[in-house]
Amino acid sequence: MDYKAYISEKLKIEGTDKSEIYSSLALPPASDMGDYALPCFKFAKILRKSPQTIAEELKNSFVNDEVISEVSAVNGYLNFKVNKQKLADEVLSTVLKAGDSYGSSNNGAGKTVCIDYSSVNIAKPFHIGHLSTTVIGGALYKIFKFSGYNVVGINHLGDYGTQFGKLISAYKRWGDKKDVEKRGIHAINELYVRFNEEATEDMEAEAREYFRKIESGDKDANELFEWFKKLTLDYVKGIYDKLNVRFDSYAGERFYTDKMQPVVDELKQKGLLKESDGAKIVDLEPYGMPPCLILRSDGASLYATRDLAAAIYRKNTYDFYKCLYVVAYQQNLHFKQVFKVLELMGKPWAKDLVHVAYGMVSLEDGAMSTRKGKVVWLEDVIEKCVQKAYSVINDKNPALENKEEIAKTVGLGAVVFGALYNNKIKDITFSYDKVLSFEGETSVYVQYTCARANSVLLKSGNAFAEVKNYAPCEQEAEVIKSLAAFPEEVTEAGEKYEPSIIARYAVDLAQKFNKFYIDCKILTAEGDAKNFRLALTKATLQTLKNALSLLGIGVPEKM
């Protein structure tokens, strides 16, 4: 049952609709205050009464029933206590029946969400800086899919620009085909770094000429480019598989080469294209922004040109409900400009474009530069996490079977969770020791909780009877309430484009379950208490699995 919806239906507040009441209902800071609370301050102006008076009047008009056991008015808040027995019956029955689909919904039925994320650069390192866009986008993909949307994951490849002319020039000078075939992207990157270290004016001119050849369809130049692209995609797809991330489209910048001129023509036709020092711009000064550069003075396109073409193509192709761009906050201005230009072009769907900005990820030793070769490859971060996970697991449980596979699940989970636990806009300093801790706010802690729950169920033989009208104790009730909240947490994570909501929920549920596990006997309990606690354990394990799955994280049976 959606208790917030139930309460909203029963409350009558003049000048306020049910949806506003629903969105205002929240969880009280302390459980002894109630299960839900309605702050009445926002209704004071409408009703011309104090929040305390409003709360008291609503309390007096609310009829308690078998669902809501108690209503109280405290300092302008209307607090509701749910019938714990009924809540327990309903939640356990719902979770155990739904299984892997618990928390899912049909909220997005008939709607398509496009998500542009990861956006790797061809022939450049897939480094630690790509972690956030990749795992945030991957989590949002799963969250929206779980909520009934049709989701299109787009990897907007960086496959256009003079750097490919530089790479061809470098390969022609110093490249070795066997070495590149063997070492792939690592060999390509070394050539690119060397070019930037040794480049002369003549070499730069040569690189521009090779890029021109790519654009003009030169066979040799394009064969080399496609080879570099294949080597890059083969490499990054291996990492995507490890991170449980998928895409439906790899249409990159180059894909829009023949789709930019119609955009330029439309801007000109609508009187939006202006000339400035030989370049073509859209003047955004009236909207508090610098001009959006569409064509350079030499006629070359820019990121904005390609993003305008991409947005129009995606709308025409997918007819999206929302189109998300999971890109670092440094591009805030760029996306504001692009969205405003589309709005000025008369595209009513411009309002459905969303920049999902995130902070930067770095290791404790600082920043990176692709040109100078000072990068931290994401594969190295993953490998180090897996190795450290193996070491930690081996120390804690040396007799554990399949330690290598378990270490992979734990190590990969730590990489993903480490990037998702904090609010996405925050900068993150990635710490191996912190993300692999069995204590605190980590995926390892949640996975270990799952292993603990699984162990209890295995020892019981997974045999327990359904229990009705059981009066849960405080620790049991806290777990039940947390389980009940999961579907709403999933919805909120989608609405706010914030996977950290799911990550924090998983930690909170794990903490509540562990308190219950320590304080309440399970296997040695008897009768209804034992059956109820085993059902509660199984429901918790299922919900934690579902939550971690939405983040792209697996759960080992033992740890």
Side-chain angles (χ1 to χ4, degrees), residues 6 10 59 61-72 80-81:
Y6 184 85
K10 293 192 69 175
K59 183 199 79 169
S61 65
F62 196 96
V63 179
N64 296 357
D65 54 23
E66 62 173 6
V67 177
I68 304 299
S69 61
E70 184 183 333
V71 182
S72 61
F80 301 87
K81 287 188 177 180

Side-chain angles (χ1 to χ4, degrees), residues 525-539:
E526 296 180 351
D528 284 353
K530 181 175 182 178
N531 285 322
F532 178 85
R533 289 170 184 174
L534 286 171
L536 186 60
T537 300
K538 187 167 186 176

Side-chain angles (χ1 to χ4, degrees), residues 269-343:
Q269 178 193 340
K270 292 182 175 177
L272 293 169
L273 205 61
K274 312 288 184 187
E275 186 164 323
S276 175
D277 297 327
K280 297 292 191 294
I281 66 162
V282 174
D283 182 15
L284 297 179
E285 189 176 344
Y287 309 98
M289 287 181 272
C292 183
L293 195 56
I294 303 298
L295 295 173
R296 290 195 316 218
S297 56
D298 63 0
S301 63
L302 293 108
Y303 286 121
T305 330
R306 297 188 281 278
D307 278 341
L308 290 168
I312 292 169
Y313 173 83
R314 290 168 188 174
K315 184 61 181 178
N316 291 339
T317 304
Y318 304 114
D319 191 25
F320 55 72
Y321 163 71
K322 295 286 181 186
C323 183
L324 314 182
Y325 297 80
V326 186
V327 183
Y329 63 68
Q330 285 89 339
Q331 298 299 318
N332 282 353
L333 175 61
H334 168 77
F335 284 107
K336 284 181 182 176
Q337 289 178 311
V338 169
F339 298 170
K340 175 55 75 172
V341 170
L342 288 164
E343 181 188 323

Side-chain angles (χ1 to χ4, degrees), residues 206-259:
E206 181 181 83
R208 288 193 293 273
E209 176 60 19
Y210 276 125
F211 179 57
R212 188 196 65 75
K213 286 184 176 182
I214 293 173
E215 288 191 298
S216 62
D218 179 81
K219 183 174 182 291
D220 181 51
N222 274 280
E223 282 180 355
L224 281 173
F225 171 79
E226 290 299 332
W227 182 41
F228 297 149
K229 182 175 180 177
K230 180 182 183 304
L231 290 171
T232 305
L233 289 181
D234 287 347
Y235 167 76
V236 298
K237 283 177 180 176
I239 295 178
Y240 291 143
D241 286 344
K242 289 179 181 178
L243 295 175
N244 196 16
V245 168
R246 61 160 296 181
F247 296 92
D248 304 291
S249 166
Y250 282 87
E253 293 182 79
R254 197 174 182 215
F255 177 78
Y256 298 100
T257 302
D258 62 348
K259 298 170 181 61

Side-chain angles (χ1 to χ4, degrees), residues 296-462:
R296 290 195 316 218
S297 56
D298 63 0
S301 63
L302 293 108
Y303 286 121
T305 330
R306 297 188 281 278
D307 278 341
L308 290 168
I312 292 169
Y313 173 83
R314 290 168 188 174
K315 184 61 181 178
N316 291 339
T317 304
Y318 304 114
D319 191 25
F320 55 72
Y321 163 71
K322 295 286 181 186
C323 183
L324 314 182
Y325 297 80
V326 186
V327 183
Y329 63 68
Q330 285 89 339
Q331 298 299 318
N332 282 353
L333 175 61
H334 168 77
F335 284 107
K336 284 181 182 176
Q337 289 178 311
V338 169
F339 298 170
K340 175 55 75 172
V341 170
L342 288 164
E343 181 188 323
L344 294 174
M345 291 173 75
K347 310 296 183 188
W349 45 266
K351 67 181 186 336
D352 301 322
L353 305 173
V354 181
H355 176 206
V356 180
Y358 61 84
M360 302 305 291
V361 177
S362 62
L363 294 175
E364 288 151 313
D365 56 358
M368 300 158 291
S369 167
T370 307
R371 288 189 176 187
K372 295 178 181 177
K374 295 178 181 178
V375 296
V376 180
W377 294 77
L378 186 52
E379 66 174 321
D380 292 338
V381 174
I382 291 171
E383 183 58 32
K384 188 171 180 178
C385 258
V386 171
Q387 289 174 357
K388 287 181 77 71
Y390 181 86
S391 177
V392 171
I393 290 167
N394 194 46
D395 287 345
K396 283 187 171 288
N397 192 354
L400 184 66
E401 295 179 356
N402 301 319
K403 281 181 286 191
E404 291 82 3
E405 286 303 311
I406 291 170
K408 285 181 184 177
T409 302
V410 172
L412 285 164
V415 172
V416 174
F417 202 84
L420 292 181
Y421 184 75
N422 290 303
N423 186 294
K424 62 182 181 291
I425 204 63
K426 290 184 177 179
D427 288 338
I428 301 168
T429 301
F430 192 89
S431 163
Y432 293 104
D433 291 334
K434 185 176 179 181
V435 300
L436 286 166
S437 172
F438 272 69
E439 302 296 329
E441 299 158 341
T442 66
S443 58
V444 186
Y445 173 73
V446 180
Q447 288 171 321
Y448 185 68
T449 303
C450 290
R452 170 177 275 177
N454 192 56
S455 175
V456 170
L457 294 169
L458 287 174
K459 288 175 182 176
S460 74
N462 269 294

